[in-house]
Amino acid sequence: MSANNAPQPVKLSLPLEYQQHLFQELRAEDELVVVAKGLGLMRLVTNLLHSYDAAGNNLIIVVGVEGRENAWIGEALAESAAISMAPKARGLTVVNTDFTSVAAREKMYAKGGIYSITSRILVVDLLTGLLNPETITGVILLHADKVIATSLEAFILRVYRQKNKNGFLKALSDNPDPFTIGFSPLATMMRNLFLRKASLWPRFHVTVASSLEGKKKAEVIELEVPMTDAMRDIQTAIMECVEVSIHELKKGNSGLEMDDWNLDSALLKNFDIMVRRQLDPNWHRVSWKTKQIVSDLTVLRGLLHSVLALDCVSFLQHLDTIHAAHSPQPGTTRQSQSPWLFLDAAHTIFETAKRRVYNANTKANAKSSIDSLRPVLEEQPKWELLAEILEEIDRALYFEPPMRDDSNGTILIMCSDEATTRQLRDYLQTMHVEPKTEEETKQKKKKEEHKPSAKFMMRRRLRGYLNWKREFAQVSNALFSENQKALEGAVDPRIAQGGYKGRAPANKRRRVRGGGTTGAAPGRNTNGTVAQYFEKPDEVADLMEEVQITTEEEANQKADIIADPLEDMDDYFELYEMQDLVVVHAYDGDQDEHILEEVKPRYIIMYEPDAAFIRRIEVYRSSHNDRNVRVYFMFYGGSVEEQRYLATVRREKDAFTKLIKERASMSVVMTVDSHGVEDPQEAFLRTVNTRIAGGGRLAATAQPPRVVVDVREFRSSLPSLLHGRNMVIVPCMLTVGDYILSPTICIERKSISDLISSFKDGRLFSQAETMFQHYKNPMLLIEFDQNKSFTLEPFADLSGNLKSVNPNEVPSDLQSKIVLLTLAFPRLRVIWSSSPYQTAEIFEGLKTQQEEPDPVVAVRAGLDKDAKAEDQAFNLEPHEMLGVVPGVTPRNLKNLTLETENVREVANMSVPELEPLIGREAARMVHGFFGRNLIDIDD
């Protein structure tokens, strides 16, 4: 199939009908394409880029590419160029750091080709004219769903469209969810992207469905695995805790829109983020309890996943750490604990989790009535099924050898994360190893059939857990020794009666926190929370004896690593045959497509459900006539896992349905389309200032207002908003200030987090000092986030001094630091802005009646009088690092950077070596800073 508009035929790898339709559509016109996850968006992108690359005379910019996607696109373009034998193809050039010098970038752009450029470099290059927008053939934007009005990508597209009316612009996304949030979201997104046409390709699209549901369908075997009773009990209890937490949230925050705060939406991935986002504007007014519940929801939802994913020992260990983290500090009262720990359901979670690992049974022959613990070690139901599937595959391969085809006989097991892949690897390695104990050896002879089991692995994990718990108990004891002392010195009659006769040593016996007694309630502290259980030493001894390492297990343990000369390599090492391989891999977005293509598996076991991966298999199978695939699809019946999977599929379908409806009735707003040139009369009126009261003069300047901006400021959305208000942005490397509005006005912009760190290291005082040296009206702009509360209260406890929380101490929080700053610099103006939008408005107001700034003068401010600006190009990061070292000032920093090669050299210099560069006192401070011992810091 030849590509449209291309001068020569280009070989494309788009085997499916819907892929070909999409490609032709994208070649023909500018549009936004939204595809369902898993339908192979990256393949479409690489083929599209290849069709332009083969033509050879294009300059194409790819925007919004994430880290490893650059490698995929580069590899695919190189491969396609080799297959098409296109002489003019040059492949992908990645421009992603400041290491590429300005001159080198200018030459590269002049040559043309396909460039993947990070947004921050691209926007500066476009504004400085290093890359002339008119020379660009077209822009391809990936991850269009992440573009919002204030993002850098929207800024880039605006600059591009203002100067270049003819170049193409194509935006692609495989996530429909963000396009459905808010009022007329699709129309807003189209406005931000300067596009008029949207093309939607859900899984239920006719062409997609017919492409994937033809004769070449994969054989799918769906396996519903029942959960064990203990797992079901724990899941129900966690759900109850989640439900109670949501109910408490609703009760405490009645003023918010809470229609979707329910158990169903709590299963979705981003529920806690959604709740936090709604509470953010009033976060400073929210009660302590609400804040606690919001963080608890994250923990509880994590537990819902853990109970299915982790084995019983790891789950119990996870619960222990959660319990320790949620226990109050010594001497605190009940109020500081998580509300869910007071519920009966919490008791059920902890008790059932313990019962899955070990059980107590009284010894018949024992003299004492001490319970001895015996291991239960409940296995995950999916493990047994996995072993059965692998056995079935082996049988099938032996009795019915498949016909030769293009796929390898590899078995691919896919699961949700790295931890699960490690767990499965351990299980598959040890499922046929039998742990031997005396009783079992006798019974073994009677057994005829050996079944694969995880006993060996679980016993090994239990040993690890018990050793960990012993250390954990000691650490815990040290942390809570204050409580212990309080207990021993207590005059409480219940404790004084001597209920602890013949007790175990302090670090071994079960402790009770909160200064209460053991008899409060089984498994509960006196304040009503679940108590943490610490096994008695003799119980642990019995249990350890039970799961001790046998000789066979010792033999199976890994030998010490020794140096291998690799001389007789061929005798010992060989490549595995592909049909003998079992590959365990975690779901990894678009990477999965590459795994399928490279491994070419015949059998795929989906250990956990994932909608996007199912589609990838469909695409893979439909794309290859001669690769047969059998898929085993496992999920826990009636579990959160199943609900989450179904909810994801349903949400995506609803999102596409919403988009299709909106597209049908959408009106494209023409006024923001930057294809139109600004009306000259409007341009004149904009430059005329009508405020001529009080002896002012009528100012009519033909040139639009100009702002000099420091290049490091392009991480924020403010330059984009200023540009949107028809100001000319001049990016420069500024030494003094962040924004220069006029020859006299210099502004240092600080976000709240930046302000806190600037006060901590004293940087702000030196910045204010240098601003006063060079400008008549320096200003400090404190800018808040538009979605958060416009107040300093929530940040009081972030300001680096915990005493500020205590009312008895002198508060050293932000407000008082700002007061100190204004006392030190009485002429410093402070601007408070609730959002970048308001800042842009303030800047516009400040610029009226002012002359335009000179970029050359702005760059020279703070530099040496004699030196040229371009000669002062230092590597920024080390320069800034040295700048915050005690004793280094802007003046002596230049000497250091000129005389030394790198930061390491400065760190290793002695005081006499530093003295001629920066003076004795400063040298002593710098040397002391680098020579300080990190561990023995005396505050």
Side-chain angles (χ1 to χ4, degrees), residues 230-286:
M231 284 166 76
R232 194 172 286 108
D233 291 349
I234 291 174
Q235 183 179 285
T236 313
I238 297 171
M239 295 290 271
E240 192 182 318
C241 291
V242 171
E243 202 164 5
V244 171
S245 298
I246 292 174
H247 179 68
E248 287 290 319
L249 267 184
K250 284 183 168 179
K251 205 163 69 178
N253 305 283
S254 49
L256 297 170
E257 189 184 321
M258 296 177 289
D259 302 340
D260 48 1
W261 288 17
N262 52 37
L263 209 51
D264 282 349
S265 56
L267 301 179
L268 301 175
K269 274 183 185 168
N270 55 355
F271 176 70
D272 35 8
I273 301 165
M274 190 171 76
V275 170
R276 180 66 205 257
R277 199 176 289 146
Q278 276 188 291
L279 290 170
D280 257 344
N282 302 314
W283 194 244
H284 60 295
R285 295 197 206 119
V286 166

Side-chain angles (χ1 to χ4, degrees), residues 121-133 136 156 159-160:
I121 293 176
L122 180 57
V123 75
V124 172
D125 285 355
L126 285 171
L127 289 169
T128 51
L130 190 70
L131 169 57
N132 182 356
I136 298 174
I156 288 165
V159 176
Y160 168 63

Side-chain angles (χ1 to χ4, degrees), residues 311 313-314 426 457-465:
D311 58 83
V313 178
S314 305
D426 281 2
M457 176 177 91
M458 294 307 290
R459 289 164 90 89
R460 189 164 63 192
R461 292 198 174 199
L462 180 58
R463 275 198 302 280
Y465 168 72

Side-chain angles (χ1 to χ4, degrees), residues 98-283:
D98 292 324
F99 294 130
T100 319
S101 69
V102 174
R105 288 212 298 274
E106 198 167 11
K107 279 182 191 161
M108 275 163 41
Y109 296 146
K111 277 193 281 186
I114 295 180
Y115 293 96
S116 167
I117 311 179
T118 55
S119 301
R120 204 163 69 87
I121 293 176
L122 180 57
V123 75
V124 172
D125 285 355
L126 285 171
L127 289 169
T128 51
L130 190 70
L131 169 57
N132 182 356
E134 289 169 16
T135 60
I136 298 174
T137 315
V139 173
I140 293 176
L141 173 75
L142 304 186
H143 303 290
D145 48 285
K146 293 182 179 169
V147 175
I148 52 170
T150 54
S151 65
L152 270 180
E153 286 75 20
F155 188 7
I156 288 165
L157 297 182
R158 194 186 319 127
V159 176
Y160 168 63
R161 268 291 171 241
Q162 272 179 0
K163 301 271 178 69
N164 186 337
K165 310 286 187 265
N166 306 319
F168 67 75
L169 171 55
K170 308 185 191 302
L172 303 106
S173 168
D174 62 353
N175 182 11
D177 287 350
F179 292 96
T180 58
I181 299 159
F183 176 69
S184 67
L186 185 61
T188 312
M189 194 68 86
M190 302 294 280
R191 227 180 5 251
N192 293 338
L193 297 168
F194 299 101
L195 290 170
R196 300 188 194 184
K197 186 184 172 197
S199 179
L200 308 174
W201 293 78
R203 172 65 180 80
F204 54 81
H205 190 291
V206 181
T207 321
V208 177
S210 64
S211 301
L212 298 182
E213 292 168 10
K215 296 171 190 170
K216 299 177 283 186
K217 281 174 73 174
E219 180 188 351
V220 181
I221 299 165
E222 200 172 284
L223 300 161
E224 184 175 335
V225 188
M227 290 193 288
T228 62
D229 293 341
M231 284 166 76
R232 194 172 286 108
D233 291 349
I234 291 174
Q235 183 179 285
T236 313
I238 297 171
M239 295 290 271
E240 192 182 318
C241 291
V242 171
E243 202 164 5
V244 171
S245 298
I246 292 174
H247 179 68
E248 287 290 319
L249 267 184
K250 284 183 168 179
K251 205 163 69 178
N253 305 283
S254 49
L256 297 170
E257 189 184 321
M258 296 177 289
D259 302 340
D260 48 1
W261 288 17
N262 52 37
L263 209 51
D264 282 349
S265 56
L267 301 179
L268 301 175
K269 274 183 185 168
N270 55 355
F271 176 70
D272 35 8
I273 301 165
M274 190 171 76
V275 170
R276 180 66 205 257
R277 199 176 289 146
Q278 276 188 291
L279 290 170
D280 257 344
N282 302 314
W283 194 244

Side-chain angles (χ1 to χ4, degrees), residues 560-596:
D560 290 340
I561 295 169
I562 51 167
D564 186 352
L566 299 178
E567 284 160 4
D568 314 319
M569 210 168 143
D570 297 339
D571 302 347
Y572 295 103
F573 297 102
E574 61 175 349
L575 289 172
Y576 277 116
E577 289 292 324
M578 284 305 278
Q579 61 258 32
D580 299 337
L581 278 188
V582 177
V583 180
V584 186
H585 203 276
Y587 295 123
D588 199 7
D590 287 316
Q591 173 73 39
D592 297 343
E593 212 171 296
H594 297 260
I595 300 245
L596 287 172

Side-chain angles (χ1 to χ4, degrees), residues 279-285 750 752 781-795 815 830-836 838-839 842:
L279 290 170
D280 257 344
N282 302 314
W283 194 244
H284 60 295
R285 295 197 206 119
K750 297 283 180 199
I752 295 296
L781 163 71
I782 299 173
E783 191 177 80
F784 288 76
D785 188 338
Q786 64 200 43
N787 300 321
K788 295 191 176 168
S789 46
F790 186 28
T791 170
L792 285 172
E793 276 178 58
F795 305 102
Q815 281 98 326
V830 180
I831 303 171
W832 299 87
S833 171
S834 60
S835 72
Q838 193 186 357
T839 308
I842 292 169

Side-chain angles (χ1 to χ4, degrees), residues 70-71 279 284 287 331 356 368 370 418 423 444 459 466 475 530 642 719 736 925 936:
N70 280 323
L279 290 170
H284 60 295
S287 67
R356 287 173 71 201
S368 65
I370 292 174
E418 291 294 332
Q423 179 201 86
K444 185 89 189 317
R459 289 164 90 89
L466 291 171
V475 172
V530 178
E642 183 187 12
V736 179
M925 287 171 77
D936 307 318

Side-chain angles (χ1 to χ4, degrees), residues 834-847:
S834 60
S835 72
Y837 287 97
Q838 193 186 357
T839 308
E841 210 172 301
I842 292 169
F843 278 16
E844 204 169 30
L846 286 171
K847 273 191 72 65

